[in-house]
Amino acid sequence: MSRSAHPAGPRHADVLPEGHYTAPAADLNVLDAKVWSRTVDRAADGTVSVGGIEVARLAEEFGTPAYFLDEDDFRARCRAWRDAFGSEADVFYAGKAFLSRAVVKWLREEGLNLDVCSAGELTTALAAGMPAERIAYHGNNKSAEEIERAVEAGVGRIVLDSFQEIARVAHTAERLGKRQRVQIRVTVGVEAHTHEFIATAHEDQKFGIALAGGQAAEAVRRALNLDGLELIGIHSHIGSQIFDMAGFEVSARRVVQLLAEVRDEHGVELPEIDLGGGLGIAYTSDDDPREPHEIAKALGEIVTRECESAGLATPRISVEPGRAIVGPTAFTLYRVGTVKPLEGLRTYVSVDGGMSDNIRTALYDAEYTVALVSRRSDAEPMLVRVVGKHCESGDIVVKDAFLPADLAPGDLIAVPATGAYCRSMASNYNHALRPPVVAVKDGEARVIVRRETEEDLLRLDVG
Ligand SMILES: *Cc1c(COP(=O)(O)O)cnc(C)c1O
């Protein structure tokens, strides 16, 4: 099966064997801290809260479906990444995972930088006051207008993705009388997946310039010779939802080899390398992600070792976590509409959202878990498939999970770890109204992206 739509790579990591599901937890009322955001809590009376507010109250006030984002958790994760990498490295949050003005403000306050990959993301970042020099601009086909806006705004770096783009950015910068800081994105011949990495067929993808065949070396040669460009380093992003550091190890080694070649050929030591994002999170209790300090330590050691053996000074490292920061900080709250047992198979639970608010299950066979959050239940576990309300049999939110057998229409269920690539990939399929994102903190809930309305739909449809 080909999976070709994710910006992180030609295929996607979280694909599990057909028919895979984990056994029911001993007690379905227990919310595993690994997959729920920091302030989510089930009280003794069975009610669940986030940021000190009961979810039933949140449903009343904001409706369902809705995403609830735990601001304390988001900020704590930003700080954990920043502190782990310290002043020797830069952390760029990958805005495509989820971007809004409130999020940009939190990033700014917590000392993170920001990756954008479209004019829309750049506009959002600048509108929320992110200093341009803390923004990196990505993408494999930036338009002339996007390049001009990025250069004019003074973004800290543009990550060059093709030979055409090297010329375009240089030309634009020269025309505007500027010298643009750039990195060159290379494909190192490694594509990392959840629990392993693949070292074949990885170059057959749209991103970056191949190290193989001297392509990347040629790109460096060109960039160094253009007045409009200041080449500050090499960029590599190997995949997403990665748990194993082995892929980063190979990637770092190959990038450092290129730095050594550049030094030998041009007498220049490029000062930076960016190892991309892609660090995995726990979608279910089976996943064991690494902590930022472990990742920082591992990457630092790998780069230092490779540079020592190549006789290079250690470059400044940057990383670009998206999912690992925002993914675990939100859950999607749904109301159960129908419960349909299929004898001998499973029970289909239909909710008031679906593939329009979470496309990842349909797109990548992504794994999620789900819990009953409006009450506690001691009923037996039943195997369920949580599906949406769209006209599509592939409209699945949670493929296999267990919910209590007394589940009934009107109950509230929540799917955790939906902070990344859910709202940002949401669609209007079936003219669904995209759900709001509500930030919750210290007993207060605040809409940061409002729910779409039918007026919004009709405003775009100009008749
Ligand atoms: C998507 C992407 C990221 C972020 O990936 P996550 O899996 O969300 O960490 C970082 N860098 C680049 C270049 C990307 O395309």
Side-chain angles (χ1 to χ4, degrees):
M1 192 194 277
S2 97
R3 299 171 189 288
S4 53
H6 196 275
R11 271 166 291 142
H12 200 259
D14 28 14
V15 178
L16 283 154
E18 268 302 297
H20 170 99
Y21 59 84
T22 48
D27 180 355
L28 294 183
N29 296 296
V30 175
L31 301 175
D32 185 350
K34 232 183 355 176
V35 294
W36 294 87
S37 73
R38 216 153 292 207
T39 71
V40 169
D41 183 48
R42 191 188 291 272
D45 67 359
T47 57
V48 173
S49 62
V50 58
I53 311 178
E54 245 180 67
V55 295
R57 237 187 76 203
L58 292 171
E60 285 280 292
E61 186 171 349
F62 301 101
T64 54
Y67 308 97
F68 292 96
L69 202 167
D70 190 333
E71 181 180 340
D72 278 339
D73 196 12
F74 186 95
R75 287 180 180 270
R77 285 173 197 279
C78 288
R79 284 195 291 274
W81 278 88
R82 195 203 52 205
D83 294 348
F85 281 85
S87 56
E88 303 300 299
D90 299 301
V91 181
F92 286 78
Y93 169 78
K96 70 178 197 262
F98 173 65
L99 196 66
S100 78
R101 285 187 286 182
V103 160
V104 174
K105 177 172 172 282
W106 303 340
L107 294 168
R108 189 158 49 77
E109 290 170 357
E110 301 299 344
L112 264 63
N113 308 297
L114 175 62
D115 273 0
V116 300
C117 61
S118 70
E121 289 182 0
L122 179 65
T123 297
T124 304
L126 294 173
M130 181 58 86
E133 63 270 18
R134 281 165 61 182
I135 299 175
Y137 203 107
H138 278 274
N140 69 300
N141 186 19
K142 307 166 187 80
S143 70
E145 195 199 334
E146 286 178 311
I147 291 170
E148 176 143 352
R149 278 176 61 187
V151 173
E152 219 157 31
V155 299
R157 63 180 63 163
I158 295 180
V159 182
L160 302 171
D161 198 88
S162 66
F163 285 102
Q164 287 95 333
E165 204 169 82
I166 292 172
R168 282 177 198 152
V169 173
H171 183 77
T172 306
E174 280 174 42
R175 186 163 46 76
L176 296 173
K178 295 200 174 199
R179 192 144 187 263
Q180 177 62 50
R181 288 159 59 88
V182 296
Q183 290 187 335
I184 292 174
R185 177 161 174 178
V186 300
T187 41
V188 294
V190 174
E191 192 197 338
H193 285 248
T194 307
H195 294 292
E196 96 286 17
F197 68 96
I198 295 173
T200 54
H202 37 263
E203 264 138 14
D204 187 4
Q205 53 130 325
K206 71 172 187 170
F207 290 105
I209 299 175
L211 280 177
Q215 297 279 299
E218 172 60 19
V220 169
R221 209 168 290 136
R222 292 195 197 175
L224 286 174
N225 281 320
L226 289 162
D227 291 338
L229 305 182
E230 179 189 350
L231 180 63
I232 58 165
I234 301 298
H235 181 284
S236 160
H237 173 73
I238 55 172
S240 61
Q241 187 61 358
I242 304 165
F243 291 95
D244 186 346
M245 298 305 284
F248 286 104
E249 177 132 21
V250 179
S251 158
R253 185 176 315 134
R254 295 188 183 168
V255 167
V256 171
Q257 269 165 18
L258 176 62
L259 294 186
E261 279 171 44
V262 170
R263 176 205 50 201
D264 296 344
E265 186 181 338
H266 306 282
V268 175
E269 285 197 26
L270 297 178
E272 296 193 25
I273 68 174
D274 189 313
L275 293 172
L279 288 314
I281 63 165
Y283 283 104
T284 73
S285 298
D286 292 340
D287 295 325
D288 282 306
R290 298 189 173 216
E291 294 294 322
H293 66 90
E294 297 173 289
I295 294 161
K297 184 161 175 284
L299 292 181
E301 284 171 3
I302 293 166
V303 173
T304 304
R305 174 166 22 87
E306 295 302 325
C307 287
E308 268 170 16
S309 78
L312 288 164
T314 306
R316 189 172 179 86
I317 299 174
S318 47
V319 288
E320 305 173 325
R323 183 194 318 268
I325 291 177
V326 72
T329 67
F331 61 80
T332 314
L333 187 64
Y334 300 103
R335 198 174 289 281
V336 173
T338 69
V339 178
K340 191 185 287 183
L342 298 190
E343 204 53 51
L345 286 170
R346 71 182 90 240
T347 296
Y348 277 77
V349 174
S350 293
V351 295
D352 48 2
M355 65 194 296
S356 55
D357 59 72
N358 187 349
I359 192 64
R360 294 189 66 259
T361 308
L363 194 57
Y364 312 127
D365 278 336
E367 286 265 294
Y368 284 96
T369 184
V370 59
L372 170 62
V373 292
S374 43
R375 61 185 172 92
R376 67 172 284 127
S377 166
D378 293 311
E380 288 294 297
M382 66 173 170
L383 179 63
V384 302
R385 176 161 289 177
V386 179
V387 296
K389 59 182 290 171
H390 296 283
C391 304
E392 195 78 46
S393 52
D395 172 25
I396 297 167
V397 179
V398 185
K399 208 163 143 204
D400 294 299
F402 291 88
L403 284 170
D406 64 353
L407 190 80
D411 279 334
L412 293 170
I413 61 176
V415 175
T418 58
Y421 306 109
C422 287
R423 181 58 181 79
S424 68
M425 287 184 159
S427 78
N428 287 119
Y429 183 42
N430 293 137
H431 284 200
L433 304 172
R434 286 178 294 176
V437 181
V438 181
V440 187
K441 178 177 158 61
D442 299 335
E444 277 177 34
R446 174 169 76 92
V447 173
I448 59 171
V449 178
R450 73 160 166 79
R451 186 185 299 283
E452 249 170 353
T453 62
E454 291 184 348
E455 291 75 65
D456 292 327
L457 293 182
L458 291 176
R459 204 169 295 143
L460 295 179
D461 177 344
V462 293

